[in-house]
């Protein structure tokens, strides 16, 4: 009997350790992706702040970084609860998968709209990419979201950028501990 217990422990302990390591890997991977998206958003924000620094290829790469880490990739990072002391994710992600998935998909759509804007505007940043004074923002935690490509293509890239940032803020306020 003791041999069976020892054998069972020898089998189960490495599995538990592997699960802990796997959880740490998932947390590290999603944190790295979040940092990459934050750096890309900051880079884009700098170009909107100072349009003379606009470079279409770099703007597009930054937008593609966000688009490539949003949507299903982001959803996949949180598909299984990764219990880890290093995680800043709240457990309510698992309770609200549709809402979380929608935010992840919205993030991808807004980043995609920015990438399209870069493809269409290869030289200087035109006024058509910029929001006009007094233009309504929409979006936000209580606002409406732009859901179709047609709607996204009809708004300035800077507006799509603000909607993207509001999506990040909404998600973090709802699903992040800090």
């Amino acid at each position: 009997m003791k041999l069976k217990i020892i054998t069972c422990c020898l089998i189960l302990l490495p599995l538990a350790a592997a699960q802990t390591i796997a959880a740490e890997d998932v947390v590290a991977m999603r944190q790295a992706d979040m940092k990459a998206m934050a750096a890309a958003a900051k880079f884009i924000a700098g170009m909107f702040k100072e349009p003379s620094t606009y470079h279409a290829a770099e703007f597009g790469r930054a937008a593609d970084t966000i688009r490539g880490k949003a949507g299903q990739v982001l959803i996949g990072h949180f598909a299984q609860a990764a219990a880890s002391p290093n995680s800043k994710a709240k457990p309510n992600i698992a309770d609200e998968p549709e809402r979380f998935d929608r935010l992840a998909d919205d993030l991808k759509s807004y980043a995609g709209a920015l990438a399209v804007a870069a493809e269409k505007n290869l030289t200087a940043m035109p006024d058509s990419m910029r929001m006009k004074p007094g233009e309504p923002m929409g979006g936000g935690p209580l606002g409406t979201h732009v859901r179709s490509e047609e709607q996204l293509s009809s708004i300035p890239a800077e507006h799509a950028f603000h909607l993207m940032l509001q999506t990040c803020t909404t998600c973090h306020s709802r699903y992040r501990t800090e």
Side-chain angles (χ1 to χ4, degrees):
M1 181 66 161
K2 286 183 185 180
L3 183 59
K4 287 182 181 181
I5 293 172
I6 292 172
T7 303
C8 187
C9 287
L10 289 175
I11 293 171
L12 294 179
L13 285 176
L15 290 175
Q19 287 177 338
T20 300
I21 291 169
E24 292 297 325
D25 289 347
V26 168
V27 170
M29 186 171 40
R30 70 186 184 208
Q31 286 176 345
D33 280 359
M34 293 289 183
K35 287 178 184 177
M37 287 191 287
K42 186 175 182 179
F43 186 79
I44 292 169
M47 289 190 187
F48 280 123
K49 185 175 182 178
E50 187 55 57
S52 65
T53 64
Y54 176 76
H55 186 272
E58 293 172 4
F59 187 98
R61 270 193 295 277
D64 282 337
T65 294
I66 298 166
R67 181 169 51 177
K69 296 180 182 310
Q72 287 301 313
V73 173
L74 185 59
I75 292 165
H77 285 330
F78 293 93
Q80 294 179 328
S84 165
N86 294 329
S87 178
K88 296 175 184 169
K90 291 180 183 176
N92 64 334
I93 293 172
D95 300 333
E96 302 174 349
E98 295 86 13
R99 186 175 190 165
F100 180 82
D101 293 359
R102 187 183 72 238
L103 289 168
D105 289 339
D106 286 350
L107 182 65
K108 184 173 185 152
S109 294
Y110 297 139
L114 294 173
V116 168
E119 292 168 7
K120 289 181 179 178
N121 300 287
L122 298 175
T123 57
M125 182 183 288
D127 288 341
S128 63
M129 283 181 69
R130 305 299 309 272
M131 290 183 65
K132 312 298 179 267
E135 185 175 344
M137 287 283 293
L142 303 174
T144 58
H145 296 276
V146 179
R147 296 244 182 258
S148 72
E149 284 188 37
E150 183 180 341
Q151 283 180 307
L152 275 174
S153 66
S154 71
I155 64 173
E158 189 173 21
H159 190 167
F161 179 68
H162 286 285
L163 290 170
M164 185 182 77
L165 294 179
Q166 289 174 352
T167 300
C168 294
T169 300
T170 299
C171 193
H172 283 199
S173 69
R174 185 145 191 105
Y175 300 116
R176 188 173 184 209
T177 58
E178 291 181 7

